[in-house]
Amino acid sequence: MTEQTEYRELTSKEVTLKLDPKSFGFKSTQELEPLTEIVAQPRVVRALELGTGIRHPNYHIYLSGLIGTGRNELITHALRERILDDSIPDDWIYVNNFEEPDCPLAINLPAGQGIQFRSEMEALIEQLQESLPKAFKEEDFGKEKEKLRQIYRKRGEEVFDKLQKLAGQHELTVQQMPNGEILFIPLKDNRPMTQQEIEQLSPEEMQELESHQDELVGMAGRVLQEQREIQRQLSGDVREVARRFAVQIVEPLINEIQQKFTIPRLKDWLSHFKTHVINHLNLFRDLSDMPPQAATMLAGEGGIDPEQRFLDYRVNVVVDNSHLKEPPIIVEDAPNYRNLFGTIERVVDRAGRVITNFSRIKAGSLLKANGGYLILNLMDALIEPFVWKELKRTLKNQSLEIQVQDQFSMFTLSALQPESIPLKVRLVAFGEPLIYHLLYLHDEDFREIFRVKADFDDEQDRDQETGLIYGRLIRQLSEKEGLLPFNAAAVAELIRVGSRLASHQNKVTSIFSHIGDVAREASFWASRDKKKVVQPDYVRQAIQERIFRSDMVAEKIRGLIADGTLLIQLEGTRVGQINGLAVADLGDYAFGRPSRLTASVGVGTAGIINIERESRMSGSTYDKAMLILEGLLRNLYAGEQPLTLSASIAMEQSYGGIDGDSASVAELLCLLSALAEVPLRQDIAVTGSINQFGEVQAIGGVNEKIEGFFDVCHAYGLTGTQGVCIPGSNVQNLVLRDDVVQAIQQGAFHVWAVSTLNQAIELFTGIPAGDGSEKNSFHRQVLDRLTEITELLLEQKMTDTGRLLWIPGTPLDLPSDPRPPLPGQ
């Protein structure tokens, strides 16, 4: 290894983002238009163009990774801009099925005609309520009824006269009681006999009288039957007259409605409606004009309440698109069964029964979005009972059935089976990438339904348009939530926040909800100071306040370091000891935590013992980094001689799990220092990953790690020599806090970038790294020590495990690895 490029100290300009607010093209966000479109997301735009343009029914859209506030508005706006077919979908109504009342009919009408038809029907019922009773009271109707009564009365009298004549032949008279019963009374001197006279009759006369009465009883039964038939015929003829009068009133009114609404199914239903009205004229009569028994029965059926009395004639408009000017775009925030598919409401009547009817059918968001687009969170739909299975069935069949579905359905029954409605809707679902991949792999229906997928990128390139985009975002929040306007310099601070969240100087976050949170808090602090415009100081204050609210744990750790509970050396040099850096992530807040790494080396063949691994406290990535470290040692020092040593590496005062490879440079430096017995600087902390060729690789959380060590040094007291060593490839990720940048600018704190192991060695030891052939170089000192260990082992011919050391040319008998197996082995 002969790379001699020197390590590089970074300037204050390299560790943060420098922006010129004048280049944004505005002085205040009040000058801008609100941000309503999707920006810097070409995959999403292509997906929406394909999903809205293609006609196949199963090209539903899945947007992966979209999070944050305002996403519904963004998708809605993007869909609205890409709608190709701007035709307004039909209204849908449910009406009574006169032939099968349990199966209400679904009828579609052009947009706006649903409520118009309902109004026409309500007006028709009111008109019939007024016109039909009047018609039954008119003189012509009365004359017709009286004429029929005279005819049938005469027929009845003729029948009764026959019975009277036959009774006279037997010296009896006939008397009909009010209840319809017929009595036969004997005559004496052409007058009815009294009861006393009847009792004085002789037995022979009484027997003769009874025989005459028996003969007339049969005749009386036939007379009564004939009278009832005459009455029935009279009632039928009167009803026919009423029907004839009603037809003259009802038919013109219905014909007028049929001319306004030319839908064939609606015309057919109106014909059934007319027949039903003619056959149920009693519904339109005044209760005062009806017989008491009929009036009581009608009132008992709810006839007093007009809403229930004419329920069969009501029109239930379940979808009204009269207000639309383009296809509907519905956002369903709570995609449970009822909200998605609709329901049939149930009510408790006066008798305590649970009842329902077609007027209780309510549309869900799927039906409201019919002919347009429905936006929902797929994860919310997946966790709702019964929703996912029914949603797949509905989308595949392109037909919606409105049913009752709840957890108490076993206790309540609904006999209604509404007619299904053809469904033509485009579903736009958003969710996590993992949900998409799991469903795509394990649910065949999902693959068939969602054929358009796009990933939302959580970051975007920072360019000349970024300032304008962020400014328009603030303008949108100002209009929506009343935030104060931001000047250009404050927007620049927000861009710096966006770059910090993206961990890259040339990128900014696309998760605008995070930027919105900072903007809201900055606006709050500015308004508290009675400012009318948010300035950059308030953005910085918002960031500081957010850190203060969340860094209690970090503050306690710094306190433990300051009082010596956690051992961290920040001055001088030590052999086999170095300060490493890790990131503690609390979810809402992440901070850097320095840790002491130590190494010990002795004579033996146990190799490098990873104490974290041996104690089962390390993760697989950490263990992999240790194996890579061993591979690098072989590349460096085992080219001509065996690599024999017994060493251990530990992260001191670490009592929890550890993972990641960002400590591998620190571990290697610590181990090499122990081998060469060369001290390392303790005023520098290091982070970085290393490969088997000695190249230092990028790591994550570099900003937090630098700031974490700075905070510890600041609490201890800045000496002017302290700093952090980072991989050179991480320089582009630096967007440090203002106080850290200021300390770097003043020379009180330093950041060095290295790209190779040799550069890190020279930074920490102050001597040339060289190679194994250069005298007094660091690598030569390491190689000399390894050679010394090998010679000692050869002299003793023993290993530290009690077994003979293998010597070239002798039979191979390698000692077993004393370390416990890796997890899973």
Side-chain angles (χ1 to χ4, degrees):
M1 185 171 181
T2 59
E3 177 63 48
Q4 296 295 325
T5 303
E6 296 183 354
Y7 55 85
R8 182 167 65 92
E9 182 175 356
L10 304 181
T11 65
S12 59
K13 294 182 180 180
E14 294 179 279
V15 298
T16 188
L17 196 62
K18 295 298 181 182
L19 298 170
D20 181 12
K22 296 181 180 179
S23 65
F24 296 165
F26 63 89
K27 295 182 179 180
S28 170
T29 56
Q30 205 164 6
E31 307 170 12
L32 304 176
E33 293 293 327
L35 181 65
T36 55
E37 70 272 16
I38 296 176
V39 293
Q41 300 288 348
R43 293 176 178 82
V44 174
V45 171
R46 292 288 186 90
L48 293 176
E49 288 178 353
L50 178 65
T52 55
I54 204 163
R55 298 299 181 183
H56 194 281
N58 283 342
Y59 269 72
H60 301 285
I61 305 169
Y62 188 95
L63 301 180
S64 172
L66 176 60
I67 61 174
T69 57
R71 61 184 174 189
N72 292 340
E73 291 83 355
L74 286 175
I75 298 176
T76 300
H77 182 81
L79 288 173
R80 187 169 287 118
E81 284 188 333
R82 288 163 178 80
I83 292 176
L84 301 179
D85 182 5
D86 58 356
S87 58
I88 308 302
D90 289 344
D91 293 341
W92 282 94
I93 64 173
Y94 271 105
V95 293
N96 181 40
N97 187 342
F98 296 108
E99 296 179 350
E100 296 183 56
D102 291 340
C103 300
L105 300 176
I107 301 177
N108 60 311
L109 297 89
Q113 291 192 14
I115 56 175
Q116 182 183 351
F117 178 68
R118 181 178 62 188
S119 300
E120 293 283 349
M121 290 301 299
E122 290 174 352
L124 173 62
I125 298 302
E126 291 180 2
Q127 191 170 358
L128 292 178
Q129 283 182 266
E130 180 181 354
S131 301
L132 288 177
K134 285 183 179 180
F136 298 147
K137 294 179 181 180
E138 289 181 353
E139 184 177 354
D140 291 342
F141 182 71
K143 288 180 179 180
E144 287 287 339
K145 287 176 60 177
E146 186 60 29
K147 182 178 179 181
L148 289 173
R149 288 195 183 98
Q150 292 296 337
I151 294 173
Y152 285 100
R153 185 182 300 115
K154 183 177 180 181
R155 289 177 56 186
E157 290 174 352
E158 290 176 353
V159 172
F160 193 77
D161 287 345
K162 292 180 181 179
L163 181 61
Q164 184 72 32
K165 185 176 180 182
L166 180 60
Q169 294 175 2
H170 296 285
E171 295 183 350
L172 295 170
T173 184
V174 181
Q175 183 176 354
Q176 190 166 14
M177 303 300 289
N179 61 0
E181 294 184 0
I182 295 178
L183 300 179
F184 298 99
I185 304 174
L187 298 174
K188 183 178 182 181
D189 299 332
N190 291 326
R191 64 172 177 79
M193 295 177 64
T194 64
Q195 184 64 30
Q196 184 179 4
E197 290 175 336
I198 293 175
E199 292 176 353
Q200 292 176 355
L201 293 175
S202 63
E204 291 79 6
E205 292 174 334
M206 183 61 72
Q207 183 178 2
E208 183 180 0
L209 178 61
E210 290 176 353
S211 64
H212 293 325
Q213 287 180 338
D214 292 340
E215 182 180 352
L216 292 173
V217 166
M219 179 65 177
R222 292 191 293 274
V223 169
L224 290 175
Q225 180 65 30
E226 195 168 346
Q227 283 183 333
R228 285 193 291 268
E229 181 63 25
I230 290 172
Q231 185 64 35
R232 188 187 64 78
Q233 293 177 4
L234 172 62
S235 298
D237 288 348
V238 170
R239 284 196 300 270
E240 187 60 35
V241 171
R243 287 167 58 87
R244 193 164 60 249
F245 271 77
V247 167
Q248 296 175 2
I249 297 173
V250 174
E251 195 168 62
L253 296 176
I254 293 180
N255 289 339
E256 183 179 350
I257 295 178
Q258 286 179 329
Q259 291 176 0
K260 293 181 180 179
F261 302 94
T262 58
I263 308 300
R265 291 199 69 196
L266 199 58
K267 285 188 173 183
D268 183 62
W269 181 83
L270 286 171
S271 298
H272 287 85
F273 166 80
K274 178 179 70 175
T275 302
H276 193 274
V277 169
I278 298 303
N279 292 335
H280 297 80
L281 293 175
N282 281 343
L283 290 173
F284 297 91
R285 290 188 176 183
D286 291 336
L287 296 179
S288 58
D289 295 338
M290 300 177 64
Q293 185 177 1
T296 303
M297 183 179 299
L298 186 61
E301 295 175 354
I304 295 178
D305 184 1
E307 183 178 352
Q308 297 298 321
R309 188 172 178 179
F310 302 106
L311 178 63
D312 291 343
Y313 307 142
R314 291 186 61 186
V315 176
N316 181 10
V317 182
V318 291
V319 177
D320 173 27
N321 291 326
S322 59
H323 61 285
L324 295 181
K325 297 181 180 179
E326 59 187 0
I329 301 176
I330 304 297
V331 178
E332 183 50 73
D333 294 319
N336 55 41
Y337 194 97
R338 178 190 179 100
N339 292 348
L340 270 180
F341 305 104
T343 189
I344 306 173
E345 294 179 343
R346 297 184 292 269
V347 295
V348 180
D349 65 3
R350 298 175 183 175
R353 298 172 300 178
V354 179
I355 61 173
T356 188
N357 54 69
F358 74 93
S359 67
R360 298 285 178 180
I361 301 174
K362 304 298 180 182
S365 51
L366 270 172
L367 187 54
K368 294 176 183 177
N370 198 12
Y373 303 87
L374 177 62
I375 303 171
L376 56 81
N377 187 327
L378 190 62
M379 186 61 189
D380 291 343
L382 288 172
I383 63 177
E384 288 289 343
F386 312 111
V387 167
W388 178 237
K389 182 177 180 180
E390 184 67 17
L391 181 62
K392 291 191 297 181
R393 186 197 64 79
T394 301
L395 294 177
K396 288 175 62 177
N397 297 339
Q398 302 176 54
S399 176
L400 176 66
E401 294 182 3
I402 300 179
Q403 301 174 350
V404 177
Q405 184 65 264
D406 59 41
Q407 56 185 339
F408 301 111
S409 58
M410 66 180 66
F411 304 111
T412 55
L413 300 177
S414 174
L416 289 185
Q417 294 181 345
E419 187 178 11
S420 61
I421 296 178
L423 194 66
K424 184 182 178 183
V425 65
R426 182 71 78 212
L427 189 63
V428 181
F430 54 85
E432 295 296 329
L434 178 62
I435 299 299
Y436 177 86
H437 294 302
L438 288 176
L439 290 174
Y440 193 89
L441 290 173
H442 302 290
D443 193 330
E444 183 178 350
D445 294 331
F446 180 84
R447 296 196 296 269
E448 181 180 349
I449 294 171
F450 289 95
R451 301 187 181 183
V452 181
K453 181 241 185 181
D455 288 315
F456 263 86
D457 195 351
D458 59 0
E459 60 184 30
Q460 62 189 59
D461 293 336
R462 182 178 64 83
D463 51 27
Q464 295 180 351
E465 298 295 323
T466 304
L468 186 62
I469 293 172
Y470 271 54
R472 292 180 61 197
L473 172 65
I474 301 304
R475 176 59 175 166
Q476 179 193 20
L477 293 176
S478 298
E479 282 197 354
K480 187 177 179 180
E481 303 178 18
L483 267 63
L484 294 176
F486 283 53
N487 63 22
V491 174
E493 283 297 321
L494 287 177
I495 294 175
R496 190 171 286 108
V497 172
S499 289
R500 172 64 179 256
L501 291 172
S503 297
H504 203 290
Q505 293 181 357
N506 297 323
K507 295 183 182 294
V508 292
T509 182
S510 297
I511 306 176
F512 290 150
S513 60
H514 297 338
I515 302 300
D517 291 341
V518 177
R520 294 182 187 96
E521 295 173 23
S523 177
F524 167 77
W525 297 117
S527 60
R528 195 186 66 163
D529 290 347
K530 309 299 181 182
K531 301 294 183 181
K532 295 183 178 180
V533 178
V534 178
Q535 299 171 353
D537 290 342
Y538 292 104
V539 179
R540 288 190 283 266
Q541 181 180 355
I543 296 297
Q544 293 169 359
E545 291 288 340
R546 290 169 68 88
I547 294 174
F548 175 75
R549 294 195 303 269
S550 302
D551 75 338
M552 184 179 68
V553 175
E555 184 177 343
K556 289 184 179 296
I557 292 176
R558 291 194 295 269
L560 293 173
I561 294 175
D563 62 20
T565 303
L566 294 179
L567 300 178
I568 298 291
Q569 186 174 341
L570 300 176
E571 290 183 300
T573 60
R574 289 288 295 272
V575 174
Q577 178 177 303
I578 198 169
N579 292 323
L581 295 172
V583 174
D585 193 345
L586 304 180
D588 63 330
Y589 179 63
F591 62 92
R593 177 196 170 184
S595 298
R596 172 184 287 183
L597 279 79
T598 60
S600 65
V601 177
V603 177
T605 60
I608 302 175
I609 299 175
N610 176 7
I611 294 179
E612 308 299 330
R613 175 183 178 274
E614 304 301 327
S615 59
R616 310 287 184 180
M617 295 176 64
S618 62
S620 56
T621 305
Y622 184 89
D623 295 336
K624 176 184 177 182
M626 291 299 300
L627 297 175
I628 292 175
L629 188 149
E630 293 178 5
L632 174 58
L633 290 176
R634 284 191 293 271
N635 282 339
L636 289 174
Y637 307 114
E640 298 180 359
Q641 68 180 43
L643 182 62
T644 55
L645 79 160
S646 180
S648 63
I649 300 176
M651 186 171 290
E652 306 292 349
Q653 294 183 291
S654 173
Y655 307 107
I658 184 173
D659 201 2
D661 61 354
S662 63
S664 56
V665 171
E667 291 166 337
L668 181 58
L669 288 173
C670 191
L671 175 63
L672 295 180
S673 169
L675 279 169
E677 296 182 349
V678 174
L680 300 175
R681 291 178 60 177
Q682 301 300 297
D683 54 353
I684 303 177
V686 63
T687 181
S689 168
I690 200 163
N691 62 25
Q692 294 188 107
F693 300 103
E695 298 170 328
V696 180
Q697 302 169 143
I699 43 83
V702 63
N703 291 294
E704 290 80 4
K705 292 176 179 178
I706 294 174
E707 292 167 353
F709 191 68
F710 171 82
D711 291 336
V712 171
C713 294
H714 186 270
Y716 175 82
L718 293 174
T719 63
T721 63
Q722 297 153 336
V724 175
C725 174
I726 65 171
S729 51
N730 276 126
V731 174
Q732 60 186 353
N733 304 118
L734 295 180
V735 187
L736 296 177
R737 291 195 324 246
D738 289 340
D739 57 340
V740 183
V741 174
Q742 186 177 0
I744 294 173
Q745 187 175 7
Q746 295 172 354
F749 193 75
H750 308 271
V751 176
W752 291 276
V754 297
S755 56
T756 64
L757 172 63
N758 284 350
Q759 295 174 16
I761 290 173
E762 293 176 1
L763 173 63
F764 275 86
T765 64
I767 63 177
D771 56 28
S773 62
E774 298 180 20
K775 188 176 182 180
N776 296 327
S777 68
F778 181 84
H779 288 298
R780 179 55 183 259
Q781 296 182 50
V782 174
L783 189 58
D784 290 344
R785 176 57 177 162
L786 290 172
T787 302
E788 180 182 351
I789 293 173
T790 303
E791 291 175 350
L792 289 172
L793 289 172
L794 288 173
E795 289 177 5
Q796 299 175 13
K797 298 184 179 181
M798 293 292 292
T799 70
D800 55 352
T801 59
R803 296 190 179 186
L804 289 174
L805 177 67
W806 175 77
I807 300 175
T810 62
L812 184 62
D813 185 15
L814 295 177
S816 61
D817 191 344
R819 297 175 295 177
L822 289 170
Q825 291 185 349

